[in-house]
Amino acid sequence: MMWQKEIETMPRSELKKLQSERLVWQVKRMYENVELFRKRMDEKGLKPSDIKSVDDLSKLPFSYKQDLRDYYPYGLFAVPMNEIVRVHASSGTTGKKIVVGYTKNDLEAWNNCVARMMTAIGLGKDDFIQVSYGYGLFTGGLGAHGGAETVGATTIPVSSGNTHNQIQTMIDFGATALCCTPSYALYLGEAIEEAGLTDKLRLKAGIFGAEPWTEDMRVAIEQKLHLKAYDIYGLSEIMGPGVACECEEQAGMHVWEDMFIPEIVDPDTGEQLPYGEQGELVFTTITKEGFPLIRYRTHDICTLIPEPCKCGRTHIRMKKPCGRSDDMLIIRGVNVFPSQIEEVLLKIGEGITPNYQIIVDRVNNTDTFDINVEMSEGLFADDIRTVETLEKNITAKIREVLGIGAKVHLVNPKSITRSEGKAKRVIDNRNLK
Ligand code: DLL
């Protein structure tokens, strides 16, 4: 059942018809139930009846991450709260997280998205799928989990962290597939190699995503873990992992177009660009009930591949995202906005200035995360005790906000280089394109 052949190989003309019907349905119900959407439609002088097919998509207003902040936590949901059976959350640009919600049908649709991919890459009832994405508010763990149970595999919900335990579980429980971030997969691969345990692995496939990774990384992971490494893309706002997935061809990720309409737009003007051109990826959810979004600006820079895939699936493919049109960083799989750091520094205030620089690198397949913060004029670098206390305090607050550790270094006032008076906030030395 999970090879949803009729849908996955539907002729494009039929797919377009289906999308149009669903778009019309979605626009109508959102106009009735989501205040912000109604307001934006009214501002444009648009009525739901003006939207008759996917050809009218570009008339519709965009939606933005900022909207989720403004209507935090549940203000954009399109059903009464008693129909929402699960919420997840992800980083917002400042202190507050963004919150998303799912109805029972939404969870079923999500499970299907991931299950379609698992089926495509040959996973099923006889497999043991180890889920090493984090469980909790992050969508990775429970998203992969739902797909694994749906294909009937034996699901091993390890969650993230504790490498020793990961490896032991993988070997003892006979995992045949692994789901985690690509950087963690590489890290596990090295650790397994070092421990001389590679022979004990039974892995055949890996489902890796949540952060950018390169073809070189794919080769390295495949060599170390003796498996085939597949890419999976998604974002909490649209659903979670599984919005787009690679098939057996490993040649771009199929966007499940019966549920999501992708567009590429010029990040500056918002103008729709033809398939094949690079720009910002935008999604419209046409089946989501709980938290639907119309023309959501992902900020992921990407290209859609309109040519048919050898696998026979007709759903369009996307290339690996190759950057962001905003300043979001993904460090150890966690989304980080520089503004979150600035907010922490501003709150601490005394002894420091909000002049900071984030330096990210990748050493031994793990992201390093350093933050230099200029101390204020009144503080002296030789007052080691005060400096150390402040550094500890900032580190703790950053961990509280982001959920990951950073190395904080207080540096002399005005020592962070400015160009045209502006400090460069982020130096990312990882080569992920
Ligand atoms: O990262 C969902 C996910 C979990 C996807 C597990 C795949 C596997 P967020 O935390 O909301 O959701 O982060 C979404 O992560 O806009 C991209 O910038 C980035 N991203 C996700 N998958 C990929 C990928 C999850 N395969 C943001 N390649 C997105 C590159 C990715 N970037």
Side-chain angles (χ1 to χ4, degrees):
M1 136 76 176
M2 269 321 120
W3 163 228
Q4 296 182 319
K5 192 168 180 195
E6 263 162 47
I7 299 173
E8 292 176 51
T9 60
M10 185 179 264
R12 288 205 64 80
S13 56
E14 270 180 50
L15 196 53
K16 189 173 167 185
K17 234 174 84 197
L18 181 70
Q19 285 184 326
S20 295
E21 280 165 24
R22 290 182 170 176
L23 179 67
V24 168
W25 168 80
Q26 187 68 285
V27 166
K28 184 169 176 290
R29 67 187 285 277
M30 281 184 68
Y31 189 82
E32 283 160 12
N33 297 308
V34 184
E35 180 203 324
L36 176 68
F37 181 67
R38 187 166 51 244
K39 201 174 115 213
R40 293 219 170 115
M41 289 283 281
D42 290 348
E43 276 164 12
K44 277 181 160 253
L46 273 176
K47 297 217 166 28
S49 56
D50 295 326
I51 305 302
K52 297 189 173 67
S53 81
V54 281
D55 295 332
D56 297 320
L57 192 63
S58 62
K59 293 182 188 161
L60 288 164
F62 286 119
S63 49
Y64 307 89
K65 197 168 198 131
Q66 176 71 28
D67 301 339
L68 280 84
R69 224 183 113 198
D70 295 344
Y71 285 78
Y72 174 88
Y74 307 136
L76 297 176
F77 290 6
V79 295
M81 273 318 280
N82 62 10
E83 285 180 36
I84 297 286
V85 295
R86 165 114 60 88
V87 292
H88 279 284
S90 173
S91 309
T93 46
T94 51
K96 276 184 195 162
K97 288 181 179 301
I98 55 151
V99 179
V100 299
Y102 306 77
T103 63
K104 273 201 172 139
N105 287 337
D106 292 337
L107 288 186
E108 195 184 316
W110 184 9
N111 290 343
N112 279 343
C113 286
V114 180
R116 282 182 193 174
M117 171 194 200
M118 288 177 170
T119 308
I121 64 172
L123 300 176
K125 281 172 79 66
D126 297 325
D127 284 286
F128 295 76
I129 303 183
Q130 176 157 334
V131 181
S132 305
Y133 288 114
Y135 280 64
L137 288 176
F138 176 54
T139 53
L142 283 165
H145 185 108
E149 285 192 352
T150 303
V151 298
T154 306
T155 309
I156 315 173
V158 193
S159 194
S160 55
N162 192 348
T163 302
H164 177 75
N165 179 49
Q166 294 281 353
I167 297 172
Q168 187 152 17
T169 308
M170 201 180 294
I171 292 171
D172 293 353
F173 295 10
T176 57
L178 171 68
C179 309
C180 65
T181 59
S183 56
Y184 193 58
L186 205 48
Y187 182 84
L188 275 172
E190 301 252 298
I192 289 168
E193 211 171 61
E194 257 168 46
L197 294 170
T198 317
D199 287 353
K200 303 231 165 358
L201 295 178
R202 289 184 56 207
L203 295 171
K204 56 183 191 193
I207 298 181
F208 306 126
E211 62 181 9
W213 56 307
T214 59
E215 285 304 316
D216 287 348
M217 276 179 79
R218 186 188 326 246
V219 173
I221 294 171
E222 292 192 338
Q223 279 172 355
K224 288 198 195 314
L225 287 172
H226 294 192
L227 47 63
K228 273 194 151 233
Y230 299 92
D231 201 352
I232 184 166
Y233 168 89
L235 61 164
S236 320
E237 297 92 307
I238 297 304
M239 192 180 68
V243 172
C245 314
E246 272 187 347
C247 63
E248 62 271 30
E249 299 294 329
Q250 294 176 301
M253 295 177 271
H254 292 277
V255 177
W256 300 128
E257 284 183 284
D258 54 319
M259 301 186 216
F260 316 104
I261 307 179
E263 292 171 85
I264 295 288
V265 305
D266 180 317
D268 298 322
T269 64
E271 203 71 36
Q272 210 178 43
L273 298 175
Y275 287 165
E277 274 191 37
Q278 181 174 296
E280 182 181 339
L281 192 54
V282 169
F283 283 110
T284 297
T285 65
I286 46 173
T287 50
K288 259 246 209 115
E289 298 174 341
F291 176 55
L293 282 170
I294 298 281
R295 305 195 83 203
Y296 182 71
R297 304 283 297 256
T298 66
H299 286 291
D300 286 319
I301 301 295
C302 192
T303 311
L304 294 174
I305 313 169
E307 291 79 29
C309 181
K310 284 198 196 121
C311 73
R313 287 177 187 78
T314 48
H315 297 228
I316 202 166
R317 286 167 294 160
M318 59 179 265
K319 286 192 182 164
K320 281 180 178 300
C322 66
R324 299 270 312 170
S325 64
D326 63 359
D327 55 1
M328 187 180 95
L329 291 157
I330 306 183
I331 306 175
R332 290 175 223 138
V334 174
N335 301 351
V336 174
F337 289 93
S339 47
Q340 292 176 291
I341 289 159
E342 194 161 313
E343 204 183 29
V344 167
L345 300 179
L346 282 166
K347 272 199 189 130
I348 292 186
E350 208 174 330
I352 55 166
T353 70
N355 286 320
Y356 64 94
Q357 190 163 54
I358 302 167
I359 301 145
V360 196
D361 209 335
R362 190 161 278 178
V363 179
N364 296 333
N365 305 316
T366 306
D367 291 335
T368 59
F369 179 20
D370 290 78
I371 307 171
N372 292 336
V373 181
E374 285 185 4
M375 52 188 126
S376 48
E377 299 279 356
L379 192 78
F380 294 101
D382 48 5
D383 184 355
I384 304 277
R385 280 255 291 288
T386 316
V387 168
E388 277 180 5
T389 312
L390 260 172
E391 284 176 346
K392 266 198 197 143
N393 192 3
I394 303 170
T395 308
K397 286 266 151 51
I398 300 253
R399 179 177 277 284
E400 215 175 279
V401 171
L402 302 178
I404 52 166
K407 279 204 187 113
V408 173
H409 318 271
L410 284 196
V411 298
N412 283 322
K414 304 208 175 65
S415 63
I416 295 176
T417 329
R418 274 107 164 133
S419 57
E420 291 164 5
K422 282 190 201 168
K424 190 167 161 27
R425 291 280 174 239
V426 179
I427 299 182
D428 192 342
N429 292 322
R430 299 170 299 179
N431 202 358
L432 294 176
K433 285 186 191 155

